[in-house]
Amino acid sequence: MADLGRIDGRTKLLGLLATPIGHSLSPAMHNMSLRKLGLNYAYMAFEVGNQELADVVTGMRALKIRGFNVSMPNKTKILPLLDELSPAAQFAGAVNTVVNEDGKLIGHITDGTGYMRALKEAGIDFVGKKMTLMGAGGAATAIAIQAALDGVGEISIFNRDDEFFERAVKNAQIINEEIEGINCKATVYRLEDLEKLKEEIESSDILTNATGVGMKPLEGQCLIPDPSYLRPDLIVSDVVYIPRKTRLLEMAETVGCQTLNGLGMMLWQGAKAFEIWTGQEMPVEYVKEQMFEVPVR
Ligand code: NAD
């Protein structure tokens, strides 16, 4: 049993390399799942930044650790330290999950699969549908790539004129020209072009906020100026989960939209990592009961 009080000579190690790390929900989520299934692993959080990352990864190899998550600020810096990348991680240029397969460190990105799985669990059929995606940072990039891989038909990417705009252009180029065997068209617009934003949302099935707007220090803010941009049959989702209900989701509820916050994405990205390491499905209903007061949709 991988009960933290009962670690034995066969317990395998899992972990998280990030900083700051104290607020992370991942150790609780993984350890309670491991205990529930009686799997002999333990998941620890390690305060690791860019500077010590290479040494830590060398140490992880030497310790034959089974795998680890990577979060801010290490998601892109880890790439050259790994032996192989999943296609999604390669296209996104980022990794949040590493698995050690007989000494080979393989990087995956499960944020995008987490987001798409959350949509699926909420009964949303996204294949062939149109998504308006706000953002082009880490979360938005993972979502854009995975949405294209999973069959979303069209993605209108909006980003403000900041250092992430170039990444928005790159994401669209990867989707339109580099990923083979998909049927998705991506277009990039500036978030400042509100007329275009309104027009693209009008012809979309799903609107996704994948920026930090709505979360501290931008809590109470919203990239959609007013409810006239929304309509009842639009699905509105936010990657933010603190607070559970952002200003965007509040506005969407008043219009009568189906809404999803970022808890589902967080839960399912963890579930995918859990499966990669252990080969078993995370007991997500149990995790939801234990960890989230507000039901995850
Ligand atoms: P990032 O720094 O990589 O990207 C930030 C993005 O937000 C960029 O597109 C930037 O242009 C945009 N942005 C920032 N301030 C803005 C503003 N004032 N107006 C308009 N656009 C603005 O960040 P990230 O890692 O992609 O995280 C973004 C959000 O996603 C955070 O709130 C984070 O907590 C959340 N997130 C959630 C999950 C989950 O599992 N639910 C996973 C990863 C990230």
Side-chain angles (χ1 to χ4, degrees), residues 113-129:
T113 42
Y115 177 79
M116 298 312 289
R117 180 72 186 263
L119 287 184
K120 202 169 158 199
E121 291 295 319
I124 297 159
D125 175 17
F126 45 75
V127 175
K129 300 286 168 61

Side-chain angles (χ1 to χ4, degrees), residues 17 56 67 74 91 103 156 162 265 280:
L17 313 183
V56 169
N74 301 320
F91 290 126
S156 292
D162 65 10
M265 175 178 175
Q280 307 242 1

Side-chain angles (χ1 to χ4, degrees), residues 22 43 47 50 108 137 143 225:
Y43 185 107
E47 190 92 41
N50 287 170
H108 297 261
I143 291 171

Side-chain angles (χ1 to χ4, degrees), residues 115-116 118-120 122-127 129-134 200-209 224 229-238 248-249 251-253 255-261 297:
Y115 177 79
M116 298 312 289
L119 287 184
K120 202 169 158 199
I124 297 159
D125 175 17
F126 45 75
V127 175
K129 300 286 168 61
K130 177 167 176 175
M131 175 189 281
T132 289
L133 175 64
M134 299 184 289
E200 290 306 297
I201 293 173
E202 261 164 25
S203 56
S204 289
D205 304 286
I206 303 165
L207 170 65
T208 305
N209 173 47
I224 304 300
Y229 283 63
L230 311 177
R231 53 177 208 283
D233 65 338
L234 181 72
I235 290 147
V236 179
S237 77
D238 207 317
L248 171 64
L249 296 189
M251 191 192 286
E253 273 187 13
V255 174
C257 306
Q258 180 178 354
T259 60
L260 281 90
N261 66 23
R297 302 178 59 186

Side-chain angles (χ1 to χ4, degrees), residues 6 24 32 35 76 86 138 235 242 254 293:
R6 300 184 58 189
S24 174
M32 75 173 59
R35 279 203 292 279
T76 55
S86 72
I235 290 147
I242 302 170
T254 63
E293 330 81 22

